[in-house]
Amino acid sequence: MSYLVLARKWRPQQFEEVVGQRHVSLTLTSAIKAGRLSHAYLFAGSRGIGKTSMARILAKALNCEKGPTAQPCNKCDACRAITEGHCLDVLEIDGASNRGIDDIRQLRESVKYTPSSVRTKVYIIDEVHMLTTDAFNALLKTLEEPPRHVSFIMATTEPLKVPPTILSRCQRFDFSRLSIKDLCEHLRKIADLEGMQIEDDGLQLLARKAEGSVRDSLTLLDQVIATGNGPFRASKIQEILGLSGSELHFSISSAVIAGDVPRSFRNLQDAYQKGLNLQELAEQLVLHFRDILLCALGNGLEEMAEATSDERARLVEQVKGIRPADALRWLRILLDVTARMRRSSRARVHLEIALAEMAALPKAVDLGRMLERLREEGGTGRGASHRAVTDEAAGNRRPRPQGGASLAPGATDPWRSASGSDAGGRMPPAVAPAVVAESANGPRGALGGATVLGTAEETCPDFEGGWQQVVARIGREKAFLGSCLHESCVTGLVDGRLQIALQDTNGFKREQVERPANRRLILRVIEEVLGRPLGICIIGRGEPAASGKQRKAANSLVSGERRTRAHDEIRDEGSQEAGSAAAPRGTAAQSAEARVKRIARLMDGDIVGPAL
């Protein structure tokens, strides 16, 4: 006899043997005992979690010689025929290949005939969502009022694609994904029955790779068994299946947290030389950084991390000092890069860029905390409030460089290795958003010793010509985004932001431009082409353009004057505050709050953000 794979050999034959679906088993067995069975069921859930197995067990329960019974004997002719798949009255139909209206018409003709060898004729339609709309409509009447000897059991992985008219005629059961713990216990049971010696860490790897699917986990276990008799250690399983272990994940995340770009590159290089699939590595890093986010949030959420107890303890230790906002930004970068890697032939480069951006990403600043400190120091004078803004915005709680700002004393450059060797100098503009940099005595555009977005001595090209260069550059890097900006123009400069007018009738172009990834690309190209970091503000062609004072601020920047409108406003506001030394504490705090909000707008929301 030919070899029978584990997924078929250990297929459940009783309701209670279906792992992780006790809610479905309990309901069906109770209905059988009470004689309240429905004529149509819909089993919904992801792949490999027991939908078809449950349908076969229900068919045996209906047709067993001792039944209908909640415990089919698996010994009678009907039970054996259904188990072996050659019962003429239990028909398993593939919805993907029998999806047309002609197939459903044939089914409607066959339901009229009574079963030839069993009590109830059962139609099991797998992947029912693949049926066409006409096929669903042709099935409606038969599904609502079938003959007494017919039962329908439909299974699908995408219940949202099943029409409501079908759903309303069925009893729906949603099957759950299995947890890593349940999968590990099930794999341990089967491994012991098969006489395999395998480490618990190895089973953990298989369970994670299976993503909640029992069939996938057994298929992976079968692949491991095929290489020899064991014992199977976690390192050997990683080599067999081409998986990356938790040590690599922790090494990469440690480099990112430390802001060490060279070390993150070396970790990725080691994984590449070992032959690991970089797409799978990126997917696993998404899960790892999700665990980091959960542990950083705390409040018991670390229990949701898909990790062993030892790994969870390491995660809790690793995230000390990490703000949830930073973990959230890292996770978003990884999610973006995994989507890009699927469509690119240069997956390695995409992942390298993502790790470099994550490691060198400026620290997220808590706007709420900045405002709180300003309120506390609102009555102590202008200088103290300004220092609070500067210290908080510069992220002095962890000595990481903030974009193009000068490094604080004792701080390390993320683009240099831990040994001090140069790894590329300053942060490139692509990952260097604007920050609040401290300046001892800025002559103009100063905020109590804090210069916003550099000095005004830098010049900017003509708006129209410069913006057209920006659009052309964006079109070369991302053609679709360039087409959305093709008919755009600059109407002025307001608070350090270019006002961009779009010819957009239905809002589609604006939606594309304001996507986070596209917005970051535009800001980077603006900085590279115009020579300074500027934000953007999207307006429609019908919206009012910048006012006269705003246009004057824009022209001042073009002609190379020493301060922008934003600097003037902040300076004037500071002068007013200095001139009213006897102002109440609340007035000073409100003035400080207004200044911080203006700084947040200048930063375009890239660094300053709400706390989690």
Side-chain angles (χ1 to χ4, degrees), residues 524-541:
R524 172 174 63 83
V525 174
I526 287 175
E527 182 175 359
E528 294 175 357
V529 174
L530 301 183
R532 70 187 311 135
L534 295 172
I536 59 173
C537 178
I538 306 300
I539 64 174
R541 281 289 174 87

Side-chain angles (χ1 to χ4, degrees), residues 67 127 180 316 438 494:
E127 299 299 334
I180 291 180
V316 172
E438 189 166 349
V494 181

Side-chain angles (χ1 to χ4, degrees), residues 255 259-268 359 413-418 421-424:
D260 193 341
V261 176
R263 179 149 62 98
S264 65
F265 271 57
R266 286 193 291 270
N267 289 329
L268 185 58
D413 193 332
W415 297 90
R416 296 178 181 271
S417 62
S421 60
D422 196 345

Side-chain angles (χ1 to χ4, degrees), residues 20-29 44 54 173-176:
Q21 313 301 336
R22 187 175 182 275
H23 61 292
V24 181
S25 301
L26 182 62
T27 304
L28 291 178
T29 53
M54 188 74 78
F173 292 91
D174 290 296
F175 284 60
S176 306

Side-chain angles (χ1 to χ4, degrees), residues 336 357 515-525 606:
D336 288 342
E357 186 176 359
R515 288 193 173 188
N518 293 339
R519 192 178 184 87
R520 287 196 296 269
L521 172 61
I522 295 172
L523 295 179
R524 172 174 63 83
V525 174
D606 191 26

